[in-house]
Amino acid sequence: MTAGAAFVGRGDELARLGTAIAAARAGESRIVLVEGEAGMGKTALLRQALRDGPGLAVAWASGDPAESGLEFGLIGQLLAALPGPASAGADAGWNSVAAGAALLAGISAAEERGPALALVADDLHWSDGPSADALLFCLRRLSADPVVVLLAGRPGELGQLGESWTRLLADPGRVQRVQLTGLSASEVRGLARAGGRDLTAEAAGRLRRHAAGNPLYVSALLAELPDEALRGEHEFLPAPRAYAASVLARLARLGAPARQLVRATGVAGVRCGLRLAAAVAGLPDPAAALDEAVAAGLLEVRAGRGEDELVFTHPLARAAVYEDLSAAERRRLHQAAAGLLAPPATYGHRVAAVAGGLDGALAGELIAAAGAAEETGAVPLAARYLGWAARVDDDPGRGELSLLGAIRHAVTTGDLRGVGDYAAAVAARPPGPWRNYTLSVLAVLRGEFEQAASGLRLLAEAPPTAGDATLWRHCTAILALVSTALGRDEDGREWARRSLAASAGLPLSASFLAVQALAWSLAKTSEITESLRLLADFSPPQPEASAFGAELLTVKGVIRDWSGDYAGAIADLATVVTWQRTGPYTHGITHAYTALAEAEFRSGNWDAAATHIEVALSLGEDLGHHMYLAHAHCVAALLTVLRDGEAAARPHLAAARDAASASPSAEALAYAALAPAHLAWARADWPGVSAALAPLAGSASGTPGNSPNLGLWRYRLAEARLHEGRLDEAGRLLDEAPPPPWGGITGADVARLRALAWQQEGEPEKAAATFATAMPAPGSRSLADGLLALDYGRLLVQLRKRKAAVPVLLTGRAILAGLGAAGLVGDCDRALVAAGVPGAGPGAGAGAGARDGDGDGQAPRPPSRAVRLRALTGREQAVARLAATGLTNRQVAAELYVSVKAVEYHLTSVFAKLGIASRRQLAGALAEAALPPAPP
């Protein structure tokens, strides 16, 4: 504990922090959480630990109760202390992912300058929500970085940061916890001695017991009590005054100018520019007053951005000063600060100056500011302004609309914490539609779709009146989205159209949820052309880089993928993920990355697909986007089983089930069923395919089984039925299946299964003719084309037409090898051996699990480098592929949302596993591993 310049005690805690700092210097990231009640010396401990570690770069930020509602305050402090370009910030429509990526970039820049970095988040329990989300996003991506992250917070208060933070802090493998308790009697004695007081052991013990060992309170008592009291000359130790009283006593002893400077700083916040504080206090020359306040231990001076900043020695000191102000004095100082600042910085002070009163003019300005923020894509900022407006508006009706607007924006960004904050305001209002609406919205964000649909329907079926038209319009839009999520697409389309009709003439912000719902419902009921026409205005580069534009461009990209326009889908979705890095929040970013990977997979660019599905999975986990993760794991399962084999793909099955359980929409459950079907299909386990798809086969018409992106399930099940000899069922499934290009289905898929049906019926010549009419053109990169050529070649071998089979099989092999479908290449090589091609047997292909049709799943022994490629983790493969394209480490880090050190670490591992020594060899090594040599 500190006393003046000295630090007393805490030897064990300092040793543990020192060990974490030493590990960071050795290149291992460490996260340490220091927990303790108010006044236990968390800040002092962190400062001492860093003081003991010379040469360590430090980026320090502190939470502030006065700033907990202002976005990116804590992250802004960290970024200001790190090298690298300044970031735009929340006022430009920043989002937590972009802020977390900026923090990673700042860490990378700091790592280039020095051996190790300490990232400190003091008073984390007072962090604003977006900063907490961004910091968590960053921490989950630190792995091989020489960074020690020091967090400090109060026990029991960090849970308010959200479930993801709770999980991280409870993981002993990631976070070391240091619990601070009260000082011992000997430490109290040392603290007194450091301050020039000599206590007996008995007096120190009495003081420790009286203050429960709390260092802050012990220090206050040492400052308050005379020597005779401390020596124990009185029978009872006087009751300690509260810390706040101690602060106010010191404040009272100051001269009037110094008192006014401290109070002005208290109004301005824990940190305040010296010039602003002096102006609010009305002090043309604050030097003497500042010296006096610093000498009293109330304020400190720290270097800030552009000028010195005044900082309270402890947040509790600032709280004591602020709470002691009379209502009139508090309003006066806030008004003074507001008059010295320009919008938007002035708004918070003006709201505080109202102090529970009403100000219709201010509410009007805030509503206008919210509209301007909304137009620029700064949706969280617009929500904050509307929340303030609802608080101060003297027009109850307009205040209700502002509150709804704040909730609407929180819904737009998927901000569960924000909706919860506004829900508290709604809960204080009388029971009624607004309160019921908010509860339904919370149910949506928790994934409780049936409960939400019931509540929203009750509201939507009541005819709108002039007073609640906005509520009704937004309620029907969300009901439309929920209906489509539940597979009730006709309902979704109807509610969306009714909502849009009520939104005629209003800006996009008022109708975009209904547009989104209508586009989904149209696409899911086979009206893709009409759906794309609805979204025609959203094409790069026409839409502005805004939250609304990004969300609707995501929808458009996904639907273009469904329609078979893969190039258009990739263009749209690549634009969305580029925007995400620079600002506009996209709640569907996990969906955008998943759809981008899926479109790339279907178009034949499996390397890009593998990279983007890795990003989708990591973002989905870190952001808690369970509603999209089942789809992402389903895509990953198919891609991984084809490239890397069943063992690598199997973890995606459990992950898809877990995601669907966490957010049980009908489509999520369907993806969780399709994922294991992919693995069973890959090993020709036809009973396994049937078992996996039983939930979809037994579902009623109109459920997600008919969703455009789930069209493949009928083809998988039809193939299983053919091999099981259930030809009538297979034919019925093919007849019921929507025609190509529904959800990635191609003409080759249809032709291949029709041909296999002819084979099973004993009509091999008809089968061969069906195959022949669909043979792919040279240069194809379609999995369906490769499978068709493989099965056609096998049939020709069976028909003893070996000479004709060879070019067909070589065509299929070239397609499948170009994709990297190692197991299927092995199947081609075995078929080529059967066709009489020498040297095309075991050892020639890089098998990862075969589809021979007999279910044995045996693959040829792959070349050693192919084995090593499959030994790479998903993140290592993504890093390797991007690096092989010529991107710098910094560019690779930005693409994957990791630090540069993490890229360096992964590349080192990649080089070792692939048996290469330099980046220059990487592209060739990957090509050699992924593309088995062609037979002679």
Side-chain angles (χ1 to χ4, degrees):
M1 229 25 263
T2 57
F7 186 92
V8 176
R10 305 298 196 196
D12 290 343
E13 292 86 350
L14 283 172
R16 294 172 69 185
L17 290 174
T19 299
I21 291 171
R25 283 203 174 93
E28 300 177 22
S29 62
R30 288 288 189 272
I31 304 175
V32 182
L33 170 63
V34 177
E35 287 185 292
E37 300 292 347
M40 278 296 170
K42 301 181 290 294
T43 302
L45 177 68
L46 294 180
R47 287 179 178 168
Q48 183 65 26
L50 296 174
R51 194 176 294 121
D52 290 343
L56 189 70
V58 178
W60 187 297
S62 298
D64 178 353
E67 296 180 1
S68 61
L70 304 181
E71 284 87 355
F72 302 109
L74 186 139
I75 285 293
Q77 295 174 58
L78 291 174
L79 290 175
L82 292 169
S87 298
D91 289 350
W94 220 15
N95 64 81
S96 294
V97 174
L103 186 56
L104 283 167
I107 289 171
S108 296
E111 290 169 344
E112 292 175 358
R113 297 188 180 187
L117 170 70
L119 200 71
V120 184
D122 196 10
D123 289 320
L124 181 61
H125 51 279
W126 281 330
S127 170
D128 61 279
S131 283
D133 292 342
L135 179 59
L136 177 66
F137 182 85
C138 174
L139 297 189
R140 292 176 67 117
R141 283 166 166 70
L142 293 179
S143 55
D145 299 88
V147 177
V148 59
V149 180
L150 303 177
L151 311 172
R154 296 180 186 173
E157 295 189 23
L158 293 173
Q160 64 191 2
L161 299 179
E163 181 183 345
S164 295
W165 265 106
T166 299
R167 285 199 303 270
L168 174 69
L169 296 178
D171 182 355
R174 294 294 313 279
V175 178
Q176 178 184 5
R177 302 176 88 111
V178 174
Q179 303 281 349
L180 290 189
T181 56
L183 299 177
S184 67
S186 62
E187 289 171 331
V188 168
R189 196 175 185 188
L191 187 62
R193 189 178 299 115
R197 310 287 289 274
D198 189 13
L199 295 184
T200 65
E202 180 184 5
R206 292 173 69 227
L207 182 55
R208 185 200 67 79
R209 289 191 299 273
H210 205 61
N214 186 296
L216 194 65
Y217 300 153
V218 167
S219 298
L221 286 169
L222 287 170
E224 292 174 16
L225 299 179
D227 286 347
E228 58 270 20
L230 296 176
R231 285 195 299 268
E233 294 178 357
H234 297 285
E235 184 178 356
F236 297 104
L237 193 65
R241 288 178 286 184
Y243 178 70
S246 173
V247 169
L248 297 178
R250 278 181 276 165
L251 181 65
R253 290 193 288 268
L254 299 179
R259 287 199 305 273
Q260 194 63 7
L261 181 64
V262 172
R263 288 167 176 160
T265 304
V267 166
V270 171
R271 294 170 306 281
C272 173
L274 176 57
R275 286 193 295 269
L276 175 61
V280 172
L283 299 176
D285 182 4
L290 176 59
D291 290 343
E292 191 177 353
V294 170
L298 294 173
L299 296 180
E300 295 177 355
V301 181
R302 295 184 190 169
R305 286 169 278 184
E307 66 166 324
D308 287 340
E309 291 182 338
L310 302 187
V311 182
F312 277 89
T313 54
H314 195 281
L316 290 176
R318 186 258 171 183
V321 170
Y322 187 83
E323 293 301 324
D324 185 60
L325 293 171
S326 68
E329 180 69 359
R330 192 179 300 166
R331 284 196 299 270
R332 186 188 70 78
L333 291 173
H334 275 298
Q335 286 169 347
L340 294 165
L341 297 168
T346 185
Y347 291 135
H349 287 290
R350 292 178 63 188
V351 170
V354 173
L358 301 175
D359 186 336
L362 174 58
E365 289 184 48
L366 288 167
I367 292 169
E374 192 175 316
E375 289 179 4
T376 64
V379 181
L381 189 63
R384 185 205 310 168
Y385 290 159
L386 289 174
W388 282 347
R391 191 190 312 169
V392 302
D393 208 330
D394 58 2
D395 180 341
R398 191 171 66 170
E400 293 277 309
L401 293 178
S402 294
L403 181 58
L404 174 63
I407 296 171
R408 174 167 55 85
H409 290 321
V411 173
T412 297
T413 60
D415 180 9
L416 181 59
R417 185 187 296 113
V419 174
D421 291 343
Y422 297 124
V426 173
R429 298 171 185 264
W434 292 79
R435 190 171 184 274
N436 295 340
Y437 166 81
T438 305
L439 295 175
S440 296
V441 167
L442 287 169
V444 172
L445 295 181
R446 290 193 302 266
E448 299 168 357
F449 297 113
E450 288 288 359
Q451 177 184 335
S454 297
L456 292 168
R457 184 177 291 275
L458 287 174
L459 293 171
E461 289 178 344
T465 64
D468 62 4
T470 301
L471 171 62
W472 186 89
R473 184 175 64 243
H474 197 58
C475 174
T476 50
I478 297 180
L479 178 57
L481 284 171
V482 172
S483 297
T484 59
L486 290 169
R488 300 163 190 164
D489 300 310
E490 295 293 345
D491 285 349
R493 181 164 55 182
E494 175 62 23
W495 285 117
R497 283 179 167 154
R498 291 176 67 179
S499 182
L500 281 174
S503 304
L506 295 174
L508 176 63
S509 59
S511 61
F512 107 98
L513 283 177
V515 172
Q516 189 178 17
L518 183 57
W520 287 131
S521 58
L522 286 169
K524 290 179 179 181
T525 52
S526 305
E527 298 185 49
I528 283 183
T529 300
E530 186 177 347
S531 178
L532 291 175
R533 188 181 300 118
L534 179 68
L535 300 168
D537 291 339
F538 298 92
S539 298
Q542 284 82 3
E544 295 294 330
S546 67
F548 304 122
E551 292 289 352
L552 292 177
L553 189 56
T554 299
V555 176
K556 184 181 180 187
V558 171
I559 294 173
R560 291 176 84 173
D561 174 40
W562 292 354
S563 72
D565 179 9
Y566 304 132
I570 291 169
D572 288 342
L573 295 165
T575 299
V576 172
V577 301
T578 299
W579 284 351
Q580 175 69 32
R581 299 182 188 285
T582 56
Y585 184 84
T586 309
H587 179 54
I589 189 61
T590 300
H591 195 195
Y593 267 108
T594 299
L596 177 59
E598 193 165 53
E600 289 164 338
F601 173 82
R602 291 168 176 171
S603 68
N605 189 352
W606 285 15
D607 282 347
T611 298
H612 289 133
I613 201 63
E614 169 68 20
V615 178
L617 293 171
S618 65
L619 287 177
E621 290 291 342
D622 290 350
L623 298 173
H625 286 175
H626 302 292
M627 67 287 289
Y628 305 123
L629 276 173
H631 182 197
H633 282 292
C634 183
V635 174
L638 178 57
L639 176 60
T640 306
V641 75
L642 291 171
R643 297 194 75 160
D644 302 320
E646 183 176 348
R650 186 161 292 280
H652 292 294
L653 308 191
R657 288 195 302 270
D658 291 344
S661 297
S663 184
S665 71
E667 286 193 25
L669 294 169
Y671 285 123
L674 184 57
H678 288 321
L679 266 67
W681 170 83
R683 65 173 183 269
D685 174 10
W686 308 118
V689 172
S690 296
L693 294 176
L696 286 172
S699 63
S701 177
T703 64
N706 293 325
S707 172
N709 217 37
L710 286 159
L712 188 59
W713 80 266
R714 283 192 174 88
Y715 290 82
R716 289 276 187 267
L717 188 56
E719 189 168 0
R721 294 288 189 260
L722 288 172
H723 286 282
E724 293 169 339
R726 299 160 68 176
L727 305 185
D728 289 344
E729 291 182 42
R732 185 170 61 254
L733 284 164
L734 291 177
D735 291 341
E736 291 173 353
W742 197 262
I745 300 301
T746 71
D749 288 299
V750 179
R752 185 174 74 87
L753 292 189
R754 294 293 186 191
L756 291 177
W758 283 120
Q759 280 186 258
Q760 293 293 328
E761 290 181 12
E763 299 280 358
E765 294 300 333
K766 290 183 179 180
T770 303
F771 276 128
T773 59
M775 269 297 289
S780 169
R781 293 188 62 84
S782 163
L783 172 64
D785 285 346
L787 289 170
L788 181 138
L790 170 59
D791 283 340
Y792 183 22
R794 285 170 170 166
L795 173 62
L796 292 174
V797 170
Q798 292 175 14
L799 295 175
R800 301 184 181 277
K801 298 179 180 181
R802 295 180 178 180
K803 185 175 181 180
V806 170
V808 172
L809 289 169
L810 288 176
T811 296
R813 189 187 193 282
I815 294 171
L816 297 169
L819 295 173
L824 294 172
V825 170
D827 292 346
C828 286
D829 287 341
R830 285 191 292 278
L832 283 165
V833 169
V837 177
R851 283 190 64 264
D852 280 317
D854 57 6
D856 63 3
Q858 297 298 311
R861 183 178 180 84
S864 60
R865 187 160 279 167
V867 171
R868 294 173 186 172
L869 178 65
R870 293 199 300 278
L872 300 182
T873 66
R875 179 60 53 83
E876 288 171 347
Q877 290 191 31
V879 168
R881 291 186 188 104
L882 290 172
T885 66
L887 295 183
T888 66
N889 286 357
R890 186 177 294 278
Q891 290 170 326
V892 173
E895 285 290 323
L896 298 178
Y897 295 99
V898 297
S899 70
V900 172
K901 279 289 184 184
V903 172
E904 294 171 357
Y905 173 82
H906 289 310
L907 281 177
T908 299
S909 178
V910 167
F911 291 167
K913 290 179 179 179
L914 293 183
I916 59 178
S918 71
R919 191 186 185 101
R920 189 169 50 194
Q921 299 173 279
L922 186 57
L926 290 178
E928 179 185 341
L931 301 179

